[in-house]
Amino acid sequence: MITLRKPKIVIVGAGYGGLMTTVRLQKLLGVNEAEIVLINKNDYHYETTWLHEASAGTLHHDKVRYDIRNVVDRSKVEFIQDTVVEINKEEKKVILENDQVNYDYLVIALGGEPETFGIKGLKEYAFGITNVNSSRQLREHIEYQFATYNMEEEKNDNRLSIVVGGAGFTGIEFLGELTNRIPELCQEYDVDFQKVKITCVEAAPTVLPGFDPELVSYAVSQLERRGVEFLIGTAIKEATPEGIFVGKGDEEPYEIKAGTVVWAAGVRGNAIIEKSGFEAMRGRVKVQPDLRVPGFDDVFIIGDSSLVINEEINRPYPPTAQIAMQQGEVVAKNITALVRNKAELENFTFDNKGTVCSLGEDDAIGVVFGKKVTGSKAAFMKKVVDNRALYMIGGTSLVLKKGKLNFF
Ligand code: FAD
Ligand code: NAD
């Protein structure tokens, strides 16, 4: 009797794209049809889209993560906790820190990394909002600065100076949380609120470049009212242990002293992509419409490490959780088709449901289904969006466990 080996599907990365692929595959495929392996660095998934809250300390980091094993069907999916070191696409192998795993079909969903553009000192002296570890470290660092301020005989006001590099969505959402947290920190550590200085440095001529100007102006005035100073058209040129150097164009950079520098000025694809020899632009692979890698029919790349062109404007879509999850759904269908020897694969088209940018617990701006929203209405929508992501992956029980249910 001949027993045919089941095809082995390996998914690396259990973020939005990877988990979505996994939970869809476990529904679509029978146990006898394929072997499914999910590999992730940690045994938990974190909501990257909530990291600005954990970073500012307005939400505990345990609230932004959950155990991967709670959402995967362990009778169908083998979960391996390990770190991907490289992908050997010629030998169809994923090299891990502690092992190696062969695949027939591979889904790379390793997310992105901060793009530092080679700016001096950023890697060493700036904090990122990238994962649970970095968010926890940033929150602790800010708190340490406040806690230390009154311990020193000669007060160092720079401890209370916080610079945020980049006024994209990450920078603005972090500022929204931070400005809500600062009054609490001032009270907790007996610090005069007037001594705290928050500066946001943005290289482009506007905050949230490309977003609706009326909403941008609402966000800026709300954050300025809460004490943020915006330096627009000004780029961070260097980070040092004492702060940053900034400048407009070619003008001589000047220093802003700061005890905390946060770098939130963009993302690139995961370093594993380039290390593994994939042709990439800033670590992102321009995938085919069916989300496979050109030249590698058994490899799919989704999420922040993939690049999909918005044909309407001939520019890449900004990497978002919304896209990563929609890609995960399509990849699950396409792998199912391949396993079942169907020739036709589905092409990915992005269905943009809108964007909501939080400005803290009770405030936000957004465009939802083509309509502009601000204030508490937009903040309500943000919670709906956050809960929807949980529901799509773990259903009602995950929403009840981890959801944002404090609507009013
Ligand atoms: P991720 O969700 O980042 O997951 C990557 C996974 O891979 C992680 O589990 C990680 O641990 C794992 N991993 C990484 N490297 C390795 C390795 N070497 N080995 C093993 N595992 C590894 N997008 C929106 O659509 N809406 C929003 O409101 C929104 N808000 C955001 C707020 C913030 C503060 C930030 C930073 C981003 C936000 N985004 C938002 C963008 C969104 O979070 C990303 O686009 C999305 O997380 C990308 O999903 P992904 O699946 O590619 O990667
Ligand atoms: P981004 O690329 O959207 O914004 C980075 C900002 O940093 C840009 O405005 C850029 O001009 C600025 N910048 C670059 N170099 C600089 C320098 N040297 N000095 C000062 N400013 C500089 O990156 P992001 O905000 O990290 O977002 C990453 C992705 O995640 C985006 O696709 C974004 O849409 C998505 N995101 C979405 C949400 C949401 O939907 N609510 C929230 C956060 C992030």
Side-chain angles (χ1 to χ4, degrees):
M1 193 177 79
I2 303 167
T3 48
L4 289 176
R5 189 178 66 81
K6 286 190 282 186
K8 187 165 178 177
I9 304 161
V10 176
I11 301 133
V12 289
Y16 292 100
L19 263 194
M20 192 65 189
T21 307
T22 309
V23 297
R24 286 297 154 114
L25 274 175
Q26 72 190 14
K27 273 204 188 115
L28 289 168
L29 287 171
V31 198
N32 297 324
E33 284 186 286
E35 198 182 327
I36 306 171
V37 178
L38 172 66
I39 300 169
N40 195 62
K41 199 180 265 189
N42 312 298
D43 60 359
Y44 59 82
H45 160 92
Y46 51 84
E47 297 291 305
T48 310
T49 61
W50 304 7
L51 287 178
H52 55 290
E53 298 170 67
S55 303
T58 48
L59 190 69
H60 192 273
H61 55 266
D62 279 339
K63 295 240 165 93
V64 313
R65 62 178 170 179
Y66 56 83
D67 195 324
I68 289 166
R69 281 164 288 218
N70 286 346
V71 291
V72 297
D73 177 347
R74 281 177 264 175
S75 68
K76 286 186 174 172
V77 178
E78 182 194 356
F79 173 64
I80 300 176
Q81 185 185 349
D82 208 333
T83 299
V84 177
V85 175
E86 198 175 338
I87 288 149
N88 183 336
K89 48 199 186 319
E90 285 72 29
E91 290 180 25
K92 297 177 74 160
K93 232 185 245 174
V94 179
I95 319 294
L96 304 173
E97 246 169 39
N98 304 303
D99 202 354
Q100 51 184 41
V101 176
N102 294 310
Y103 62 82
D104 294 300
Y105 301 107
L106 176 67
V107 182
I108 305 177
L110 293 169
E113 295 182 356
E115 171 63 279
T116 55
F117 305 105
I119 297 170
K120 203 172 151 196
L122 278 177
K123 281 199 173 127
E124 295 82 354
Y125 308 119
F127 292 85
I129 303 176
T130 314
N131 51 41
V132 167
N133 292 336
S134 73
S135 295
R136 188 164 43 196
Q137 187 193 33
L138 172 54
R139 190 248 304 155
E140 286 267 325
H141 175 82
I142 294 172
E143 217 162 307
Y144 174 81
Q145 298 288 14
F146 276 75
T148 310
Y149 184 71
N150 279 325
M151 298 284 293
E152 293 169 327
E153 226 150 85
E154 203 175 309
K155 300 270 182 289
N156 176 4
D157 287 354
N158 296 335
R159 288 197 183 279
L160 307 177
S161 163
I162 302 169
V163 169
V164 176
F169 286 103
T170 303
I172 293 300
E173 289 201 323
F174 175 67
L175 286 165
E177 297 300 321
L178 184 68
T179 49
N180 282 351
R181 178 79 176 123
I182 293 296
E184 290 172 9
L185 287 173
C186 287
Q187 198 173 21
E188 199 172 337
Y189 294 102
D190 304 317
V191 167
D192 177 2
F193 179 77
Q194 300 305 326
K195 296 265 181 207
V196 181
K197 189 172 163 220
I198 306 173
T199 315
C200 177
V201 183
E202 168 55 54
T206 167
V207 162
L208 295 175
F211 203 50
D212 182 274
E214 196 189 335
L215 297 176
V216 170
S217 133
Y218 174 90
V220 169
S221 68
Q222 290 294 79
L223 293 172
E224 280 180 340
R225 204 172 47 77
R226 296 187 220 159
V228 178
E229 185 192 348
F230 285 96
L231 300 179
I232 303 303
T234 307
I236 292 188
K237 310 269 186 177
E238 187 182 342
T240 68
E242 280 80 41
I244 50 161
F245 282 87
V246 301
K248 286 182 190 254
D250 292 335
E251 108 190 345
E252 187 63 27
Y254 63 94
E255 189 179 19
I256 301 175
K257 298 261 191 207
T260 308
V261 176
V262 182
W263 182 246
V267 290
R268 56 182 287 116
N270 192 298
I272 301 291
I273 297 288
E274 282 173 349
K275 192 178 172 199
S276 305
F278 289 103
E279 201 180 304
M281 283 176 264
R282 290 171 58 187
R284 302 173 70 198
V285 175
K286 189 173 170 205
V287 287
Q288 294 175 174
D290 59 16
L291 302 175
R292 286 190 286 187
V293 177
F296 295 91
D297 277 354
D298 38 28
V299 182
F300 293 81
I301 302 187
I302 59 173
D304 285 5
S305 289
S306 72
L307 191 147
V308 176
I309 300 289
N310 177 351
E311 302 291 351
E312 277 173 31
I313 53 169
N314 198 26
R315 291 189 57 178
Y317 282 111
T320 62
Q322 196 184 160
I323 291 196
M325 291 178 82
Q326 290 182 18
Q327 288 178 320
E329 290 181 275
V330 171
V331 165
K333 285 190 215 159
N334 283 348
I335 292 183
T336 303
L338 289 169
V339 166
R340 294 180 181 159
N341 293 316
K342 301 240 166 71
E344 284 283 300
L345 296 195
E346 191 177 306
N347 284 343
F348 173 74
T349 46
F350 177 46
D351 174 18
N352 191 349
K353 308 245 187 264
T355 302
V356 186
C357 175
S358 158
L359 301 172
E361 164 82 17
D362 300 320
D363 201 2
I365 51 170
V367 180
V368 185
F369 297 116
K371 280 217 165 93
K372 292 187 211 177
V373 275
T374 57
S376 53
K377 219 185 205 175
F380 175 90
M381 284 312 299
K382 182 77 175 129
K383 286 175 188 161
V384 171
V385 173
D386 287 351
N387 290 336
R388 182 175 179 271
L390 293 173
Y391 179 77
M392 301 268 292
I393 285 172
T396 314
S397 67
L398 188 61
V399 177
L400 291 175
K401 219 184 262 168
K402 289 286 170 178
K404 293 185 175 168
L405 304 173
N406 52 336
F407 282 108
F408 303 103

